[in-house]
Amino acid sequence: MKKIFGILLISFTIFSCIPQNQAASEQNKEIKPEKNNDGEWDLQVIDSQYDYFLNAIAKPMSFYTESYLKSRNASLVSEWNSLYFSGRYKNVIESSIDYNPQENYGLKFEYKLYQVFAYVQWKYGLKLNGFSQ
């Protein structure tokens, strides 16, 4: 079985069932990209509505260039991590993201990561300054 890039980026929910004291003990979560067995970067989002969003609402991958997505993701990850470390939106943002803009993740990964930010805006109304859609 392939190793799956273990991002649980959408592990956050507004209606979290985690007790507050347990959430505080998990304060230093970090999402680190990893390659699968094929050597490709992959992103797996665990949220039942994300696939619907990706297929029915998000603009298609062909709409974007990899360089555009890479620059947007660098900005969005920086803003995301800033919000995470400040403790704002802790019911939505439960982990930081380890993203290196110098790394060549590939168009598919960059697209899916960008759409995670679009999804969070769509589902939770969290407006990120670096996001333009």
Side-chain angles (χ1 to χ4, degrees), residues 23-69:
S25 68
E26 296 177 1
Q27 188 72 17
N28 293 324
K29 288 191 225 174
E30 183 175 57
I31 298 168
K32 292 186 177 189
E34 295 178 6
K35 291 185 179 183
N36 62 22
N37 286 342
D38 296 334
E40 296 178 350
W41 296 98
D42 193 16
L43 176 65
Q44 183 179 27
V45 177
I46 301 176
D47 189 310
S48 59
Q49 290 184 324
Y50 177 75
D51 287 332
Y52 165 76
F53 175 82
L54 205 56
N55 295 318
I57 297 172
K59 293 179 182 174
M61 191 181 324
S62 60
F63 184 80
Y64 304 98
T65 64
E66 186 174 350
S67 62
Y68 173 80
L69 292 172

